[in-house]
C-alpha cells in the first residue's frame, strides 16, 4: 500500500481503502485524495497503483472499489457539466480518467464484476438521497456520455470560439459539436490551429474509451455474432449526441496526418510529435467502433441503398451502429480522394527510403490502417469502386506487398500476412483490379525479391512466389487464397515478364510432385488453381504473353507428368516414400532467383521472446468466396452452389471443367487443413486410387495440351533449321504466332469473390484486439490481466 501513500499522502486512508472497512460515498474528503490536483501522468498512475493492490481491493473490500469507480465517474460527469474551466478541474478530470483506465481491465477480468458498470448505483444520487431519473442511468452510460462531452470541451480538448475573456463561458450543452470537429477533411473544411495540450487531453480520453471497449478481450472467441459489445453499442447509438462529429474527427485526424511533417530531415528528432499518439489512439478507437459483422445484417449495396425487396416502400434502416452507418454513407468524390490519399500516404511511410537513415519518422500503426481500409471497402462499395477506378489502387497494393514480403518469415506477424492477403482477395474480385495491374512497375521499393522489369502484376506474382517458397510454415492455409487472387486477375494480365512466368511454372512444378499431391487431402487444389491461371492467360491474353507460353513449352514435361499421374496403390505409396527423403516442402532450387534488389534486407524471423497473440482459424476458401461467372459484356452473375452437380451427360458443367473439383473430399478437407505433410503422418487419412482418379479426371489440361501439340513441333523445327539456342529468336516467333481456331472454345471466366461471413468477422475481432493489446505498452493497459479472446505467446 506504500505506493498509494506516495500518491495521496495519508497512510491511514489507504489502509482503510484496502482493508475491508467500507468508506461512505459521502466522505468527499477521503475520496478526493485519489484525484487531488497533484500533476501526475498516466505512467505515474500505473506505477503507483499495482495490479496486486487492485485485485486485493476487489476481493477484500469490494464496496470500496465500487465506490471509487462510482466517484471517479461522478467527477468526470461533473467536469463535463461544468465545462472544466479551471486548471484544477481539468487536472481532476485527467486523474480520474487515468485511474479508470488503470482499474477497468481488473473489473472486466472478473466475471462477477463484469456487469457492475451496467448496474445503477443504489442510493448514490448526487446528494446521496434525492434520486432523480438522470441518476438511474447505468454507470457505463454516464461514463461514456461524460467522455464524449469532454472530447468537445472548449479550451480543454477543442479551441474555444469565444472572442474575448469577458464573454461568459460556452455552455457545454448548448454548443454544436459539429462546429468543433478536430480536423478538416470529410464533411468539414476548416482546419483548426494545432494545439498540443488539446491533443494530449484527447489522447488520454480516447485511451479511456478504448479501455471501456476492451471488455471484448475478456470473453472467449465465439461465432455467435449477436455477441455485441455493450460499450460500443451504446457509444455508437443515437444516445451519443456527438456521434457524427466524433466519427468525423477520428477519421479526419487519421487521414490528414502527415508524419514527415514539413519535409525537414530529422524534424521528428527535434520536436516531439504530439499528433502521432492521438492519430494512433484515434485509429484504434475507430476500428473498434466499426467491429460489426456485416454478414448477418442487411448490407448496403453498391448504390448505397440496402438490399431489400422491391416491395419495401422505404429503404430498411442501415445498421444501428451509427459509425458503420456513417462510414457506409460517405459518397462525395473529394471525400473518397481525401481518405484514399491519407491511407496510402501513411501505408507507404515505412517504405520511404531516404538518403539519410532515420531522417523521416516511421509510423508503427500500419496494421490498424489495414483494418480501417478493409472496413472502408467492406462497408462502402462506392469507396471500393472509387479505389479501383484509377491506378491509385496501386499506392495501396505496393505497401501491402512490401509488408507481406517483409513479414513472411516472422511467425509473430502471421496476422499481418492474413489481413494483407484478405484485402487483395477482396480487391481481386473486381475486374478493374486485374486491369490496373498492367501498369508498369517503376517505383523501386527495396525488397528482397529478384530484380525484374515489368508490371505490378509481375511484382504481385514474384512476392506471392516468395511467400510460398520461403515463408513461415504457418502461412500454409493462405496458399489457397494467394492462388485464388492470381486466378481472379489472370484473365486481364496483358504481358507477364519472364521472371514472373518462371515463378508460376516453378510453383506448378513444386505442387505437382507426387509426394506433395498425395500427402494431404486438399493439396491438388493448388494445381487446379495454377492450371486455371495458365488457361485464362492462354485463352484470353495469348497475344502479349510469349514469355509465359515459352516457359510452358520449356517445362512441358510437368504437364505430361500430370496427365500421366499414376493412380495405382503401389505408385501412391512410392510417391509418399519419396517425400520422406525430401522434407523441405518446396525446393528453392531451379527457381532462378537471381540477384535481389539493391538496398533490400532478407525477411527476418521473429526475435526470440517477441510477444504475439493467437488467432482463430480462418474459413476455407470455399467459405471465404463465392463463384461468379463473367458474361461477355463484362457483368458478373453469381453461380449457385447447386451448379456443381454433374450434368446429365456425366461431364462436369462448363463452369467447373476448368475450375477446381468440388468433390466430397474437398468438403472434408476444410476440417483437415494441416501442414503440407502432416495429414499422412497423423494417420487420419490415406490417399486411395479412387480418390486420385476422382480429381485427376477433372484436371483442366485440354487447352495446354493443344497448345503444346501445335507449338512444340514448330519451335523444335526452328531450332533445328536455324541451329538456334537463343531464346530471343524463339520469343520473337512466339510473339507473332497465333492459335486462333486451334484452341478449344474459351471457357467462361470464373471469379471467386470474397463474401462476408461470421468466420472472418470473428477472425478480424481477435486480430484487431491482439494488435491493440500488443501496441499499448506505455502504459501497458492490459498486460498481465486474464484476457480470454486470445492467448499471449512468446516466440
Amino acid at each position: 500500500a506504500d505506493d498509494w501513500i506516495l500518491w495521496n499522502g495519508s497512510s491511514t486512508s489507504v489502509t482503510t481503502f484496502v482493508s475491508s472497512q467500507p468508506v461512505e460515498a459521502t466522505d468527499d474528503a477521503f475520496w478526493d485524495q485519489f484525484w487531488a490536483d497533484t500533476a501526475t501522468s498516466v505512467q505515474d498512475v500505473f506505477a503507483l497503483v499495482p495490479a496486486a493492490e487492485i485485485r486485493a481491493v476487489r476481493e477484500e473490500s469490494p464496496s470500496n472499489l465500487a465506490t471509487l469507480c462510482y466517484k471517479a465517474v461522478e467527477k468526470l460527469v461533473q467536469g463535463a457539466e461544468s465545462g472544466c474551466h479551471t486548471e484544477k478541474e481539468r487536472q481532476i478530470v485527467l486523474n480520474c480518467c487515468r485511474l479508470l483506465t488503470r482499474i477497468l481491465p481488473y473489473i472486466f477480468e472478473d466475471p462477477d464484476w463484469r456487469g457492475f458498470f451496467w448496474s445503477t448505483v443504489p442510493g448514490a444520487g448526487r446528494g446521496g438521497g434525492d434520486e432523480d431519473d438522470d441518476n438511474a442511468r447505468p454507470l457505463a452510460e454516464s461514463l461514456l456520455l461524460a467522455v464524449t462531452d469532454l472530447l468537445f470541451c472548449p479550451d480543454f480538448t477543442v479551441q474555444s470560439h469565444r472572442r474575448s475573456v469577458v464573454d461568459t463561458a460556452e455552455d457545454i450543452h448548448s454548443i454544436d459539436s459539429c462546429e468543433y470537429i478536430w480536423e478538416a477533411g470529410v464533411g468539414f473544411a476548416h482546419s483548426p490551429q494545432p494545439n498540443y495540450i488539446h491533443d494530449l487531453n484527447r489522447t488520454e480520453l480516447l485511451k479511456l474509451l478504448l479501455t471501456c471497449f476492451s471488455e471484448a478481450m475478456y470473453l472467449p472467441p465465439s461465432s455467435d455474432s449477436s455477441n455485441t459489445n455493450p460499450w460500443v453499442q451504446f457509444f455508437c447509438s443515437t444516445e451519443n449526441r456527438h456521434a457524427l462529429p466524433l466519427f468525423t474527427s477520428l477519421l479526419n485526424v487519421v487521414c490528414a496526418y502527415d508524419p514527415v511533417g514539413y519535409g525537414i530531415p530529422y524534424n521528428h528528432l527535434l520536436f516531439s510529435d504530439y499528433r502521432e499518439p492521438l492519430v494512433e489512439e484515434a485509429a484504434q478507437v475507430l476500428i473498434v467502433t466499426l467491429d460489426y459483422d456485416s454478414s448477418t445484417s442487411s448490407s448496403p449495396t453498391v448504390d448505397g441503398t440496402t438490399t431489400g425487396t422491391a416491395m419495401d416502400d422505404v429503404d430498411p434502416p442501415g445498421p444501428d451502429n451509427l459509425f458503420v452507418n456513417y462510414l457506409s454513407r460517405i459518397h462525395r468524390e473529394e471525400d473518397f480522394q481525401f481518405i484514399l490519399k491519407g491511407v496510402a500516404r501513411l501505408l507507404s511511410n515505412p517504405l520511404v527510403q531516404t538518403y539519410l537513415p532515420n531522417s523521416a519518422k516511421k509510423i508503427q500503426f500500419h496494421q490498424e490502417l489495414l483494418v480501417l481500409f478493409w472496413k472502408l471497402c467492406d462497408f462502402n462499395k462506392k469507396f471500393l469502386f472509387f479505389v479501383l477506378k484509377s491506378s491509385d489502387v496501386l499506392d495501396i497494393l505496393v505497401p501491402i506487398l512490401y509488408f507481406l514480403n517483409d513479414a513472411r518469415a516472422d511467425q509473430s506477424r502471421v496476422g499481418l500476412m492474413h489481413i494483407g492477403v484478405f484485402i487483395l482477395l477482396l480487391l481481386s474480385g473486381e475486374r478493374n483490379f486485374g486491369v490496373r495491374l498492367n501498369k508498369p512497375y517503376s517505383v523501386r521499393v527495396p525488397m528482397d525479391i529478384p530484380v525484374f522489369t515489368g508490371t505490378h502484376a509481375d511484382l504481385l506474382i514474384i512476392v506471392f512466389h516468395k511467400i510460398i517458397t520461403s515463408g513461415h510454415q504457418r502461412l500454409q492455409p493462405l496458399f489457397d487464397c494467394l492462388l485464388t487472387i492470381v486466378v481472379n486477375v489472370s484473365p486481364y494480365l496483358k504481358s507477364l515478364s519472364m521472371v514472373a512466368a518462371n515463378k508460376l511454372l516453378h510453383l506448378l512444378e513444386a505442387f505437382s510432385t507426387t509426394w506433395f499431391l498425395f500427402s494431404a487431402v486438399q493439396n491438388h487444389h493448388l494445381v487446379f488453381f495454377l492450371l486455371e491461371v495458365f488457361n485464362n492467360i492462354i485463352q484470353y491474353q495469348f497475344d502479349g504473353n510469349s514469355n509465359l507460353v515459352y516457359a510452358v513449352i520449356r517445362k512441358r514435361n510437368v504437364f505430361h507428368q500430370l496427365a500421366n499421374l499414376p493412380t495405382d496403390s503401389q505408385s501412391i505409396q512410392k510417391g509418399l516414400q519419396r517425400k520422406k527423403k525430401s522434407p523441405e516442402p518446396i525446393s528453392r532450387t531451379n527457381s532462378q532467383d537471381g540477384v535481389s534488389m539493391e538496398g533490400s534486407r532478407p525477411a527476418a524471423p521473429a526475435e526470440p521472446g517477441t510477444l504475439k497473440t493467437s488467432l482463430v482459424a480462418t474459413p476455407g476458401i470455399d467459405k471465404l468466396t463465392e463463384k461468379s461467372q463473367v458474361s461477355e459484356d463484362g457483368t458478373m452473375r453469381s453461380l449457385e452452389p447447386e451448379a456443381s452437380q454433374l450434368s446429365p451427360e456425366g461431364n462436369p458443367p462448363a463452369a467447373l471443367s476448368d475450375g477446381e473439383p468440388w468433390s466430397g473430399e474437398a468438403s472434408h478437407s476444410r476440417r483437415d487443413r494441416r501442414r503440407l505433410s502432416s495429414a499422412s503422418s497423423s494417420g487420419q487419412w490415406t490417399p486411395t486410387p479412387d480418390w486420385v482418379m476422382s480429381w485427376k479426371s477433372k484436371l483442366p489440361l485440354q487447352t495446354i495440351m493443344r497448345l503444346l501439340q501445335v507449338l512444340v513441333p514448330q519451335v523444335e523445327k526452328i531450332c533445328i533449321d536455324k541451329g538456334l539456342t537463343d531464346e530471343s529468336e524463339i520469343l520473337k516467333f512466339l510473339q507473332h504466332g497465333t492459335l486462333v481456331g486451334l484452341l478449344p472454345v474459351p471457357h467462361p471466366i470464373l471469379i471467386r469473390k470474397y463474401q462476408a461471413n461470421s468466420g472472418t468477422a470473428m477472425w478480424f475481432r481477435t486480430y484487431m484486439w491482439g494488435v491493440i493489446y500488443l501496441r499499448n505498452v506505455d502504459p501497458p493497459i492490459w498486460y498481465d490481466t486474464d484476457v480470454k479472446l486470445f492467448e499471449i505467446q512468446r516466440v
Side-chain angles (χ1 to χ4, degrees):
D2 297 351
D3 293 334
W4 295 65
I5 300 166
L6 286 174
W7 187 17
N8 52 34
S10 133
S11 69
T12 49
S13 59
V14 175
T15 324
T16 318
F17 180 65
V18 180
S19 73
S20 48
Q21 236 175 306
V23 182
E24 287 299 316
T26 47
D27 185 351
D28 283 337
F30 176 84
W31 295 110
D32 284 348
Q33 306 173 91
F34 287 99
W35 30 83
D37 51 350
T38 49
T40 55
S41 68
V42 68
Q43 286 79 4
D44 293 340
V45 173
F46 271 67
L48 295 169
V49 186
E53 304 268 326
I54 304 174
R55 289 190 174 114
V57 178
R58 188 181 70 194
E59 306 312 322
E60 285 147 42
S61 42
S63 72
N64 285 349
L65 183 61
T67 309
L68 179 67
C69 291
Y70 164 70
K71 298 296 281 186
V73 172
E74 185 183 54
K75 285 289 171 201
L76 290 180
V77 171
Q78 286 169 4
E81 295 281 326
S82 72
C84 279
H85 295 299
T86 65
E87 194 46 54
K88 182 176 178 181
E89 283 176 288
R90 291 173 197 161
Q91 202 51 59
I92 289 174
V93 161
L94 289 172
N95 279 340
C96 289
C97 191
R98 293 158 185 161
L99 192 61
L100 286 166
T101 302
R102 180 59 171 144
I103 290 172
L104 274 166
Y106 297 91
I107 302 265
F108 295 151
E109 74 174 358
D110 184 335
D112 297 337
W113 274 84
R114 216 166 280 147
F116 168 70
F117 270 84
W118 293 96
S119 57
T120 48
V121 183
R126 289 285 133 72
D130 51 337
E131 283 287 88
D132 60 48
D133 284 351
D134 222 24
N135 285 332
R137 264 197 188 286
L139 206 49
E141 295 186 5
S142 305
L143 169 56
L144 289 171
L145 293 175
V147 171
T148 53
D149 277 342
L150 288 164
L151 284 167
F152 291 100
C153 183
D155 289 327
F156 179 51
T157 49
V158 291
Q159 212 71 53
S160 169
H161 289 185
R162 281 179 301 160
R163 290 289 160 267
S164 69
V165 191
V166 189
D167 291 350
T168 47
E170 290 162 285
D171 173 21
I172 196 132
H173 289 291
S174 63
I175 72 168
D176 174 6
S177 44
C178 284
E179 294 172 12
Y180 290 87
I181 288 170
W182 301 348
E183 185 57 78
V186 176
F188 195 66
H190 166 67
S191 190
Q193 195 56 38
N195 180 318
Y196 80 96
I197 299 287
H198 294 173
D199 276 1
L200 290 173
N201 294 343
R202 292 165 178 172
T203 305
E204 298 229 30
L205 287 161
L206 290 179
K207 215 180 262 310
L208 173 56
L209 265 185
L210 197 59
T211 310
C212 291
F213 298 158
S214 72
E215 184 180 317
M217 282 196 211
Y218 297 89
L219 302 169
S222 84
S223 53
D224 177 15
S225 50
S226 60
N227 211 340
T228 47
N229 182 330
W231 296 85
V232 173
Q233 195 174 9
F234 180 81
F235 180 78
C236 297
S237 72
T238 47
E239 296 266 355
N240 176 358
R241 72 187 183 97
H242 303 294
L244 180 59
L246 240 174
F247 168 76
T248 317
S249 294
L250 296 172
L251 184 62
N252 291 354
V253 155
V254 172
C255 295
Y257 178 56
D258 184 358
V260 180
Y262 305 103
I264 310 164
Y266 301 102
N267 199 22
H268 65 289
L269 302 177
L270 304 176
F271 307 103
S272 190
D273 178 358
Y274 292 98
R275 200 24 84 101
E276 188 182 24
L278 173 64
V279 175
E280 288 205 3
E281 217 65 53
Q284 292 178 358
V285 168
L286 200 51
I287 60 178
V288 170
T289 55
L290 296 170
D291 176 22
Y292 180 79
D293 184 355
S294 56
S295 68
T296 56
S297 58
S298 52
S299 59
T301 49
V302 178
D303 57 357
T305 58
T306 332
T307 41
T309 61
M311 315 303 283
D312 298 333
D313 329 354
V314 290
D315 287 333
D320 306 329
N321 177 324
L322 288 179
F323 277 43
V324 174
N325 205 331
Y326 297 146
L327 186 80
S328 66
R329 284 174 24 207
I330 298 172
H331 61 275
R332 288 170 37 202
E333 295 255 316
E334 54 268 44
D335 290 343
F336 287 157
Q337 189 61 35
F338 165 74
I339 295 171
L340 180 58
K341 278 271 177 277
V343 173
R345 178 193 323 114
L346 291 170
L347 283 178
S348 310
N349 163 269
L351 289 58
V352 176
Q353 292 293 328
T354 50
Y355 295 113
L356 309 165
N358 305 325
S359 65
K361 187 183 180 80
K362 273 198 176 171
I363 60 155
Q364 301 297 324
F365 55 99
H366 49 274
Q367 299 192 84
E368 292 92 324
L369 286 166
L370 289 171
V371 175
L372 177 59
F373 183 76
W374 169 269
K375 299 282 180 195
L376 280 157
C377 293
D378 196 22
F379 295 152
N380 190 323
K381 289 297 172 251
K382 283 184 172 168
F383 176 75
L384 175 63
F385 294 134
F386 177 84
V387 169
L388 293 165
K389 206 173 70 173
S390 75
S391 50
D392 288 352
V393 66
L394 303 175
D395 298 338
I396 300 285
L397 170 75
V398 172
I400 289 178
L401 291 176
Y402 171 84
F403 293 130
L404 290 178
N405 188 58
D406 188 55
R408 68 178 192 269
D410 181 344
Q411 56 166 313
S412 69
R413 293 198 282 167
V414 169
L416 168 62
M417 298 293 295
H418 277 75
I419 184 161
V421 172
F422 283 159
I423 289 173
L424 298 183
L425 180 66
L426 180 70
L427 296 174
S428 75
E430 306 299 332
R431 172 183 177 274
N432 263 356
F433 182 64
V435 174
R436 299 281 160 248
L437 290 178
N438 290 307
K439 187 175 176 181
Y441 176 67
S442 50
V443 250
R444 286 283 174 249
V445 176
M447 289 155 92
D448 68 321
I449 54 173
V451 179
F452 70 97
T453 305
T455 65
H456 284 76
D458 294 309
L459 177 69
L460 178 132
I461 287 167
I462 292 166
V463 169
F464 282 10
H465 173 270
K466 201 84 173 168
I467 294 167
I468 292 171
T469 56
S470 65
H472 192 270
Q473 63 185 47
R474 289 190 48 203
L475 301 179
Q476 202 84 43
L478 280 178
F479 289 4
D480 277 356
C481 260
L482 291 168
L483 293 187
T484 298
I485 294 164
V486 181
V487 172
N488 282 349
V489 301
S490 59
Y492 312 111
L493 304 183
K494 294 195 182 319
S495 172
L496 285 185
S497 69
M498 191 59 94
V499 177
N502 284 333
K503 296 297 176 208
L504 286 175
L505 277 137
H506 177 241
L507 289 179
L508 182 70
E509 215 175 346
F511 290 149
S512 58
T513 58
T514 47
W515 78 256
F516 180 75
L517 285 173
F518 298 158
S519 63
V521 71
Q522 75 283 357
N523 283 351
H524 61 276
H525 293 182
L526 301 173
V527 169
F528 275 79
F529 284 137
L530 284 165
L531 290 175
E532 202 174 332
V533 170
F534 298 137
N535 287 333
N536 281 342
I537 293 177
I538 292 166
Q539 288 280 19
Y540 291 99
Q541 299 289 349
F542 178 82
D543 285 352
N545 272 299
S546 51
N547 287 331
L548 183 77
V549 173
Y550 178 62
V552 167
I553 292 174
R554 276 189 53 222
K555 292 282 183 188
R556 56 191 178 278
N557 63 322
V558 179
F559 300 97
H560 291 303
Q561 279 165 8
L562 268 174
N564 300 315
L565 190 73
T567 54
D568 58 291
S569 307
Q570 200 182 352
S571 303
I572 293 174
Q573 282 317 309
K574 214 160 104 186
L576 290 171
Q577 289 304 313
R578 198 169 303 158
K579 170 204 153 208
K580 293 192 173 71
K581 293 192 200 100
S582 54
E584 189 50 42
I586 295 159
S587 73
R588 305 188 57 182
T589 51
N590 78 10
S591 81
Q592 296 111 11
D593 247 19
V595 187
S596 277
M597 295 173 109
E598 198 181 334
S600 67
R601 288 192 310 274
E607 289 284 322
T610 308
L611 286 181
K612 64 186 182 99
T613 53
S614 61
L615 292 162
V616 293
T618 48
I621 195 75
D622 56 331
K623 300 275 189 310
L624 267 181
T625 55
E626 65 180 2
K627 293 184 172 184
S628 299
Q629 197 170 310
V630 181
S631 315
E632 298 195 347
D633 60 357
T635 56
M636 289 195 194
R637 62 180 184 85
S638 182
L639 289 180
E640 294 306 313
E642 294 83 72
S644 62
Q645 304 313 313
L646 289 185
S647 49
E649 305 80 64
N651 296 324
L656 278 176
S657 61
D658 274 5
E660 69 205 88
W662 287 106
S663 48
E665 290 81 16
S667 58
H668 130 194
S669 77
R670 310 297 169 225
R671 298 192 296 277
D672 193 38
R673 305 189 66 79
R674 284 191 178 74
R675 181 103 209 271
L676 293 187
S677 50
S678 59
S680 55
S681 56
S682 59
Q684 295 263 316
W685 169 86
T686 46
T688 63
D690 286 352
W691 170 77
V692 178
M693 280 305 295
S694 72
W695 54 261
K696 180 189 167 183
S697 60
K698 298 191 186 115
L699 283 169
L701 287 164
Q702 309 82 332
T703 302
I704 295 169
M705 288 309 190
R706 184 78 185 116
L707 172 137
L708 292 173
Q709 196 187 352
V710 174
L711 292 179
V712 170
Q714 297 183 6
V715 171
E716 283 176 342
K717 185 172 185 312
I718 295 176
C719 293
I720 294 164
D721 291 355
K722 300 195 176 169
L724 277 185
T725 49
D726 180 20
E727 299 190 345
S728 57
E729 288 292 327
I730 302 168
L731 285 167
K732 207 171 289 176
F733 162 73
L734 292 172
Q735 271 162 11
H736 302 304
T738 176
L739 291 175
V740 176
L742 296 172
L743 291 178
V745 178
H747 53 280
I749 296 174
L750 265 192
I751 302 290
R752 292 172 185 80
K753 287 172 82 87
Y754 168 81
Q755 56 171 352
N757 61 79
S758 49
T760 37
M762 193 62 232
W763 185 89
F764 270 97
R765 185 171 305 154
T766 53
Y767 169 62
M768 169 184 80
W769 279 114
V771 168
I772 292 171
Y773 177 98
L774 293 173
R775 300 258 300 104
N776 282 274
V777 287
D778 184 26
I781 301 181
W782 300 282
Y783 189 68
D784 261 353
T785 57
D786 190 11
V787 171
K788 294 272 193 297
L789 185 62
F790 44 77
E791 289 169 26
I792 295 95
Q793 302 152 339
R794 276 193 190 279
V795 171

